[in-house]
Amino acid sequence: MSADPVALLDGFCDAGERLAVLHELRYCHWSPSTVVRRHEERLVTSSSPARTSTTTDQWWFPPELLALTGRIESRLAERFAVEPDHLDPWQATRYEVGETFGLHHDAGHWVRSPAGERRRTVLIYLEEPDEGGGTEFPSLDLLVAPRAGRVAVWDNLRPDGRVDPFTRHIALPVLRGRKTVLTTWERVRPTCSRRESLP
Ligand SMILES: O=C(O)CCC(=O)C(=O)O
Ligand SMILES: [Fe+2]
């Protein structure tokens, strides 16, 4: 794996694959994006003024789209040693002009869940806006341009397993055009029981 805190690979998805994914995403049900927070020992998912985009997730993906994400998972395994069995369901998020996701961390809520924390984030830029829409990591002094076909992979945890505050990030507002990303998170352990080896 790269020593950079945020590994970037351009051309990870070629134009044909991006168009095919975007085409299939038209058949999915999109809703206002949500954020997760803890409320009295429970995780609550709700919309928030901090996140103004629209999202769909793997639940809605038609078989053609699942075949495409399956191929993407194989390449993530090859290039970044991502473990497909540890992945959360894919999400796609669309940002129109002005839409954004404020400063946040992708981990911090899942330490007690069977699959554990969100160890790494995988973010693929499918549709590149004409202006704005970068992903900023203020503590790393890093701005990732939302280049179509690029994948960004970063660690959310420090080697001791605690949340790494340096990978807090912002999806900057789109200023012109539209941005669409495909995202998943690699958990510390497998994401369902049938993937664990049985005793
Ligand atoms: O869209 C982006 O640039 C970042 C998205 C993000 O941070 C997230 O979905 O958790
Ligand atoms: Fe995020």
Side-chain angles (χ1 to χ4, degrees), residues 81-195:
V82 162
E83 296 185 80
D85 289 357
H86 291 217
L87 292 181
D88 270 339
W90 287 92
Q91 289 184 7
T93 296
R94 198 161 61 198
Y95 304 81
E96 304 287 352
V97 170
E99 294 181 349
T100 180
F101 189 177
L103 185 65
H104 69 280
H105 204 288
D106 288 353
H109 294 304
W110 290 273
V111 73
R112 274 179 272 152
S113 91
E117 266 297 356
R118 287 171 157 183
R119 177 165 69 193
R120 283 195 281 178
T121 296
V122 173
L123 172 66
I124 299 170
Y125 301 97
L126 291 176
E127 194 177 18
E128 178 171 340
D130 297 319
E131 195 183 343
T135 311
E136 186 182 9
F137 297 79
S139 309
L140 299 172
D141 198 18
L142 176 68
L143 175 59
V144 177
R147 188 173 297 160
R150 165 176 278 181
V151 62
V153 180
W154 68 84
D155 278 312
N156 291 310
L157 305 180
R158 302 186 309 199
D160 67 2
R162 302 178 79 124
V163 170
D164 182 351
F166 278 85
T167 46
R168 288 199 306 167
H169 52 280
I170 306 166
L172 294 174
V174 167
L175 301 177
R176 260 183 332 118
R178 184 160 83 171
K179 170 184 166 191
T180 306
V181 296
L182 194 59
T183 318
T184 185
W185 296 270
E186 183 191 39
R187 307 284 289 270
V188 169
R189 292 181 290 276
T191 46
C192 76
S193 61
R194 94 183 115 76
R195 292 166 166 167

Side-chain angles (χ1 to χ4, degrees), residues 4 12 24 45 47 53 73 112 117 127 156-157 187 196:
D4 287 333
F12 180 73
E24 294 302 331
T45 302
S47 55
S53 49
E73 288 172 20
R112 274 179 272 152
E117 266 297 356
E127 194 177 18
N156 291 310
L157 305 180
R187 307 284 289 270
E196 307 252 34

